[in-house]
Amino acid sequence: MGSGRYLDDPLTFTRNPPSSSSPITESSFLAESISRSGSFESGSLRGGDGDCFSDVDFALDKLAGTVQFYERHVFLCYKKPSVWPARIEASEFDRLPRLLSSVISARKSGMKKETLLTICEGHDGSETSNGDVLIFPDMIRYRRLTHFDVDTFVEEVLVKGVEWLPGNPESLSGSYVFVCCHGSRDRRCGVCGPSLVSRFREEIDSCALRGEVSVSPCSHIGGHKYTGDVIIYGLNINQRVTGHWYGCVTLEDVPLLLEQHINKGEIVDRLWRGEMGLPEEDQKKTQEQRLQLNSEKISNREVTQESVNNSICCQSRAVPEPNGSGCQQNGNSSYCLEEIHTEKNTSERVTSVKNASLRIGSSENGSSGGFKVCAVMSMWLETWEREDTYAALAVACAAASVAIAYNCYKQLK
């Protein structure tokens, strides 16, 4: 069932795994902290199999295609992460998860869907009590499963695909977020997971999403080096239940996942690991297609915006504004339109002056030269701006004053 890379990870598999790292208590792994940039302050944290991962192992370009193919996810609500042993499916003291895991493994050949089993946090008297079972993509909750009921439950629900009536099946709605917090299995999940759960709950409260989005700590889901590991189940824009896995999630990514993935139904590709129901190669192809489509959309938006800006300039040249400036006061458009208007007026003035000069030159020897010169001068004056007129008047007055003074000087002599 699936690739060998995950044989030691999901609870569904019963193959004996290599020895894990030493279990740690809740107080010890909470003492380890991560910075808000997502990097661990303790550089020697190790994976569950004792491997020390370098920064290269956290490269985001390796995320897509790292989710083992499965078609159904079963979550058993059972106690707190702080008391989960490293191998809860094999724990002698945790009979319910051990029995459920062994029966699912024994009956997997009779199931029509590849099934993954994970433990999530359970609290008696709360929405998720001990023994509750959540099933995705069915979006069904069964209440209060006990070790006496495991065989019947697996046979009816997971093998035959019918309802298990003693469990009072309930329909689920909204979005469900699961964060790996299995500290005794992997130290980094024990450090990063609880912080992410707290941040999700804070953002859900601040965005008034309580009742629409549920967040639960869960046991190991595979991929130590992708901490923080997050799975989100819910309806997409096509009203189909999907399960998307995200890796290397930091505290700063939480608002983005709530806004972009849950509110808008858009995938956060730089954190995306894969999706329920997709083989690993298809996960990579799906992301490539999505990235190409997003790139084309961005290019189209840029071309459209450029066309709109050019259209504004051209339209304003053809239809001046009432104030006579011929421009609109909208950021760069104002500068563009004002520049066009100024260039147009200057060009018209220079052309008129040149034409007037040519007419004067060609009419100097004609009988009606004086009339033509006056007419040309009149046209020339019409093209002047008000400032040009004031300057000409000032020069004329100055010349008149000099002439009068000179005339008085001659008479006195």
Side-chain angles (χ1 to χ4, degrees), residues 338-379:
E338 183 178 354
E339 184 178 38
I340 291 171
H341 179 73
T342 303
E343 290 179 354
K344 182 178 179 182
N345 288 345
T346 304
S347 176
E348 289 176 350
R349 232 185 311 167
V350 171
T351 301
S352 298
V353 170
K354 287 182 178 180
N355 291 339
S357 299
L358 289 174
R359 292 193 191 100
I360 293 171
S362 63
S363 305
E364 284 180 349
N365 299 324
S367 59
S368 58
F371 173 76
K372 290 183 179 179
V373 169
C374 291
V376 169
M377 292 298 294
S378 176
M379 293 174 59

Side-chain angles (χ1 to χ4, degrees), residues 39 57 210 316 401 413:
S39 61
D57 294 311
R210 181 175 291 185
S316 297
S401 300
K413 290 179 67 177

